[in-house]
Amino acid sequence: MIDKERAMEHLLDLLAIEGPTGQETAVVEAITQKLLTAGCKKEWIKTDDAHERLGEGFKIGNLIAKLPGTVNAPRIMFSAHMDTVPLCRGAEPVIQGNRVVAKGNTGLGGDDRSGCAAIVTLCETLLKNDLPHPPITFLFPIAEENGLHGSRMVRFSDLGNPAMGFNLDGQFPNEIVIGAMSAVRWTAEITGISTHAGLEPENGISAGLIASKAMTHIAEQGCFGRIEKDNGSGTANLGTIHGGEANNQVMDRCILTGECRSHSPDFLEQIIQVYKDSFEQAASRVTNEQGKCGKIKWSVISDYNAFKLKKSEPCVQIASKAVKLTGKEPRPLVMDAGLDANNFNEKGLPTVTLGTGAHKFHQVEEYVEINEYLFSCDVLLQIATLSAKP
């Protein structure tokens, strides 16, 4: 049933549209037009006010399309986020063998435009062929890449209160993600004392030195990068460093930000504590000639919480059957990352995540494997068909 030529046209069109986090307006316009062309009515499609509730820096809300069902069955949801990382600005998609790649020195944006294109293809296939389907919500969240913000802000009432969800945001289409990590963002604001670095450096307290000592101690504790300990595992990263104004001034202020992740809430708290303690200890140990020391202002924000679905969950069962019917062996897995599905599951909407053939995301080498993308389009059609049955 899938028109492969049209499926590829949707993919290439959406990959070519610039839409970094917070600036998804052009993507919304393009997907909306494709949905209308596919046969959706205008009244089925809207954007919510997620951008207004998120605040400054967000231009448009989540895109939502609600299809009436042709059969009496529970509503289901398909979702794929619209935003891409900054590396994908100016991407020019080209077909190279069995892959779609970026022509220049950019990322491609297959994460997650391949998911968006697969949903558009599903909508077009259902409506153009007048196929039986349950009520379906198509959700295209904003602002996934910098903290899953769009899915966090979406209201289930705007979605028509679906019974289960199928999120598209991954690599291999036979992989069914049934669990993912918790993540927090931390900020360490370091305050030292500014003095002339040539005339009286001994009277200053370097915020940069405090930062370096703290991060060195964290690494020595085995809490940087991939973390594997007897009582748990996780990951942690230093993302940004901002500080200093001049080379001849002892740095009196430095701000570091980063993240910590784990599948275990208790172990995540242990990682966070190592970071907090390391910064506070480093600040207390860097002193000037008067015995004064630096200060730390530490803060942590939870991005999303871990989840793990049972394999008996209906969305897991339907996704697994759809993959098998399409010709591959389903592979349920727990992912070491965060997904919009984290927020959906936390809010009570059981949601699995499926891949759409995108690989090496957030890299210049990113590509979409064409056969995998087309396979995922078939899987979505199978899910819609299976969900239409009593």
Side-chain angles (χ1 to χ4, degrees):
M1 284 288 184
I2 298 295
D3 184 331
K4 294 182 180 180
E5 186 175 330
R6 289 287 291 164
M8 288 303 300
E9 183 179 325
H10 295 317
L11 176 62
L12 293 170
D13 286 348
L14 294 179
L15 285 171
I17 300 171
E18 197 166 287
T21 301
Q23 301 173 45
E24 298 94 340
T25 302
V27 190
V28 168
E29 292 172 351
I31 293 176
T32 298
Q33 187 55 56
K34 285 182 175 294
L35 293 176
L36 291 170
T37 302
C40 288
K41 296 181 180 180
K42 285 184 178 180
E43 57 265 31
W44 298 353
I45 306 170
K46 74 169 191 175
T47 54
D48 68 10
D49 63 348
H51 60 306
E52 295 174 358
R53 287 178 284 135
L54 284 169
E56 187 177 352
F58 297 91
K59 305 297 184 184
I60 198 165
N62 300 309
L63 177 61
I64 301 167
K66 291 191 289 186
L67 273 64
T70 62
V71 298
N72 185 19
R75 179 176 290 275
I76 64 173
M77 179 189 77
F78 293 96
S79 63
H81 70 84
M82 294 182 289
D83 61 319
T84 59
V85 294
L87 183 66
C88 299
R89 281 195 178 97
E92 294 182 49
V94 295
I95 295 177
Q96 191 176 88
N98 293 321
R99 296 177 175 179
V100 180
V101 301
K103 183 178 180 180
N105 192 36
T106 70
L108 177 65
D111 173 20
D112 192 19
R113 299 296 171 73
S114 57
C116 295
I119 289 177
V120 169
T121 300
L122 170 63
C123 179
E124 185 174 68
T125 305
L126 291 173
L127 296 180
K128 290 288 177 70
N129 294 284
D130 196 24
L131 298 176
H133 60 270
I136 299 176
T137 298
F138 298 133
L139 170 65
F140 303 91
I142 61 169
E144 189 268 358
E145 293 292 4
N146 69 342
L148 314 184
H149 296 304
S151 58
R152 176 166 53 85
M153 287 293 175
V154 77
R155 300 183 184 93
F156 282 2
S157 57
D158 289 336
L159 303 178
N161 296 306
M164 67 185 79
F166 302 91
N167 184 46
L168 306 174
D169 191 8
Q171 301 181 70
F172 300 101
N174 66 319
E175 290 182 343
I176 301 169
V177 180
I178 61 173
M181 282 179 155
S182 294
V184 301
R185 286 174 287 150
W186 55 262
T187 301
E189 298 183 36
I190 307 171
T191 302
I193 294 178
S194 174
T195 57
H196 194 291
L199 296 176
E200 47 178 334
E202 66 280 1
N203 293 325
I205 297 175
S206 171
L209 180 59
I210 293 170
S212 65
K213 285 181 175 291
M215 290 307 304
T216 298
H217 185 259
I218 287 165
E220 289 172 346
Q221 298 300 303
C223 287
F224 189 81
R226 187 165 298 282
I227 304 167
E228 298 286 349
K229 295 184 179 292
D230 292 339
N231 62 333
S233 62
T235 64
N237 185 54
L238 169 64
T240 68
I241 303 175
H242 302 282
E245 295 179 307
N247 290 335
N248 63 350
Q249 175 188 353
V250 173
M251 186 189 298
D252 64 336
R253 183 172 169 78
C254 185
I255 300 176
L256 293 83
T257 68
E259 65 165 29
C260 303
R261 306 187 189 207
S262 179
H263 292 285
S264 164
D266 291 339
F267 190 71
L268 180 59
E269 286 298 323
Q270 292 179 37
I271 300 172
I272 296 167
Q273 195 63 47
V274 169
Y275 273 71
K276 183 175 185 291
D277 291 346
S278 296
F279 277 102
E280 290 178 346
Q281 290 170 15
S284 68
R285 292 170 182 170
V286 175
T287 60
N288 63 8
E289 279 201 345
Q290 288 77 44
K292 296 179 180 179
C293 64
K295 297 179 180 179
I296 296 292
K297 181 180 178 182
W298 175 259
S299 60
V300 176
I301 298 173
S302 175
D303 267 344
Y304 43 85
N305 293 319
F307 75 95
K308 187 174 181 181
L309 293 168
K310 294 180 179 179
K311 293 181 181 179
S312 58
E313 190 72 46
C315 62
V316 179
Q317 292 286 308
I318 290 173
S320 298
K321 188 173 182 180
V323 168
K324 186 168 287 188
L325 287 171
T326 311
K328 290 185 182 291
E329 190 63 29
R331 189 160 73 89
L333 59 88
V334 176
M335 179 177 282
D336 288 345
L339 303 156
D340 282 329
N342 285 68
N343 288 329
F344 301 142
N345 281 288
E346 184 176 359
K347 292 179 180 182
L349 175 60
T351 304
V352 296
T353 299
L354 298 161
T356 50
H359 299 274
K360 293 186 178 293
F361 17 81
H362 304 188
Q363 302 177 47
V364 172
E365 294 82 10
E366 184 184 11
Y367 65 92
V368 173
E369 190 71 34
I370 293 173
N371 289 335
E372 291 176 353
Y373 163 69
L374 294 173
F375 181 90
S376 74
C377 293
D378 284 326
V379 170
L380 298 197
L381 186 57
Q382 287 284 3
I383 289 173
T385 301
L386 290 168
S387 301
K389 297 176 181 178

